[in-house]
Amino acid sequence: MTSTPSRTAGPPVVTLTMNPTIDLCWEVDRLEVIGKNRARVRSVAVGGGGINVARHVVRFAGRATAVHTAGGETGLRLNRLLDEEGIDHVAVDIADDTREALVLFETGSLRSFHIVPPGPRLHRREGDRCLDVLERLVAGSRSYVVASGSLPGGLPDDYYAAVARRVGAAGSRLVLDTSGPALPAALAEGVFLFRCNRTEAESLTGRPVNGFDDARALNERLLTTGAAEIAVTTLGALGALCSTVHGHTELHAPPLPGVPLSDAGAGDSMVAALTARLAAGEDPVSACALGVATAAAAMLTPSTEPFDVEVARSLRSQVRTATRG
């Protein structure tokens, strides 16, 4: 396990990334069907939901520690990259190799292509070690814990439900941002905050989620069943709906001050801003407003490159809200 000291002060945020990746970003002028495509290396960075969230929490002057798996030579490189970036992290060794992903950015069309393999297969005991590490980190701290991203093969569908139990028993609050078979079991256990996009919302409702009314129906169900204390459903260019026991608030996305280049990382960026502000004591609606602004700022950057924090803050004042009771 590897740990580096945090550079900033503030309430703690701990993130969990079970299936991290090294994102290799290459750029080409135009992808050609015939012949070779000569590419330039644009960036090499560690990715994965929780790691991205930890990175951006720190950029918003918060304090974060990323718990993640790491295996093989790729895992060693992942640890080195995190150390070089100065991200506080704890690596849990696994036998299989950490995955690498490829991002192709076509400069002529300003399009990004994100190619992601499934990643390693974990043994149950490796998943249990991650739970033990997480539990030790948050014990007695009243931390916010962000579980974000997909689960690797080999782990049971109720793995995030186990995370929710451990986090709750430690007196901390779980922010969940995931999809797939692990989602229903985690929501049955109950979480502090659940963030979903349209695709994930539709998987839960079984029907299209086209606007705020559809999002409200889902959020009400999440609250009344005890699946979440706070439900945030994002609606792409429309914005997001933030729901608590006090009511539902529509947060309308600000106009973009530029051409949208990629939506990769917008969700992680939103969750980071939202969690950072919650940890700092801000109310959920205000924190979510910064999250919506940050997601918009992330749209202005190609591939998975970091958004401009000052642009995100400037867009915050342009997020319109409407309370629906």
Side-chain angles (χ1 to χ4, degrees):
M1 294 187 289
T2 304
S3 181
T4 57
S6 179
R7 296 173 299 176
T8 56
V13 174
V14 177
T15 71
L16 178 65
T17 311
M18 298 303 297
N19 201 9
T21 179
I22 293 180
D23 289 325
L24 311 173
C25 183
W26 299 347
E27 65 176 27
V28 297
D29 296 326
R30 186 178 64 179
L31 282 174
E32 302 289 352
V33 177
I34 299 175
K36 293 182 179 179
N37 284 278
R38 302 290 181 179
R40 300 171 293 276
V41 176
R42 186 180 181 97
S43 63
V44 178
V46 178
I51 289 173
N52 292 334
V53 170
R55 173 184 290 119
H56 299 319
V57 165
V58 172
R59 297 179 71 222
F60 276 115
R63 181 163 59 92
T65 298
V67 178
H68 61 90
T69 59
E73 291 297 323
T74 309
L76 293 175
R77 187 184 188 193
L78 182 144
N79 286 332
R80 288 196 301 269
L81 288 170
L82 288 174
D83 289 341
E84 290 168 5
E85 194 174 343
I87 294 177
D88 187 27
H89 69 108
V90 179
V92 179
D93 294 334
I94 59 173
D96 208 350
D97 288 343
T98 295
R99 62 181 175 168
E100 289 181 313
L102 177 62
V103 181
L104 286 174
F105 180 61
E106 194 178 54
T107 59
S109 65
L110 300 180
R111 294 184 301 173
S112 293
F113 305 87
H114 205 168
I115 304 165
V116 185
R121 186 171 184 83
L122 268 63
H123 191 279
R124 182 64 181 260
R125 64 176 176 272
E126 294 171 330
D128 289 344
R129 285 207 301 270
C130 292
L131 291 175
D132 292 342
V133 168
L134 182 66
E135 187 174 37
R136 287 198 299 270
L137 281 175
V138 302
S141 66
R142 295 290 295 167
S143 300
Y144 282 85
V145 177
V146 180
S148 179
S150 62
L151 286 179
L155 295 182
D157 290 345
D158 66 350
Y159 187 80
Y160 279 140
V163 171
R165 287 191 293 272
R166 297 276 191 118
V167 169
S172 293
R173 289 150 288 192
L174 179 63
V175 176
L176 181 67
D177 183 13
T178 191
S179 59
L183 183 52
L187 293 178
E189 188 66 34
V191 301
F192 175 71
L193 186 150
F194 173 55
R195 200 275 324 186
C196 67
N197 60 26
R198 272 178 170 160
T199 300
E200 293 148 1
E202 289 170 3
S203 74
L204 292 172
T205 62
R207 58 179 182 271
V209 176
N210 295 316
F212 289 106
D213 289 341
D214 297 326
R216 175 170 178 159
L218 170 61
N219 286 7
E220 282 185 342
R221 192 177 88 187
L222 293 168
L223 295 179
T224 57
T225 60
E229 296 179 39
I230 302 170
V232 177
T233 298
T234 58
L235 298 165
L238 291 177
L241 183 73
C242 179
S243 303
T244 71
V245 293
H246 302 295
H248 306 273
T249 303
E250 297 175 4
L251 298 109
H252 296 263
L256 292 179
V259 177
L261 298 179
S262 173
D263 62 357
D268 294 338
S269 301
M270 178 188 190
V271 171
L274 170 58
T275 308
R277 297 318 305 157
L278 286 174
E282 205 161 293
D283 69 272
V285 171
S286 181
C288 195
L290 180 61
V292 169
T294 301
M299 296 283 291
L300 301 173
T301 61
S303 65
T304 56
E305 294 178 16
F307 60 89
D308 187 315
V309 172
E310 292 310 313
V311 169
R313 287 182 171 137
S314 70
L315 291 175
R316 165 65 179 83
S317 62
Q318 300 178 52
V319 176
R320 295 185 297 107
T321 63
T323 301
R324 300 305 181 193

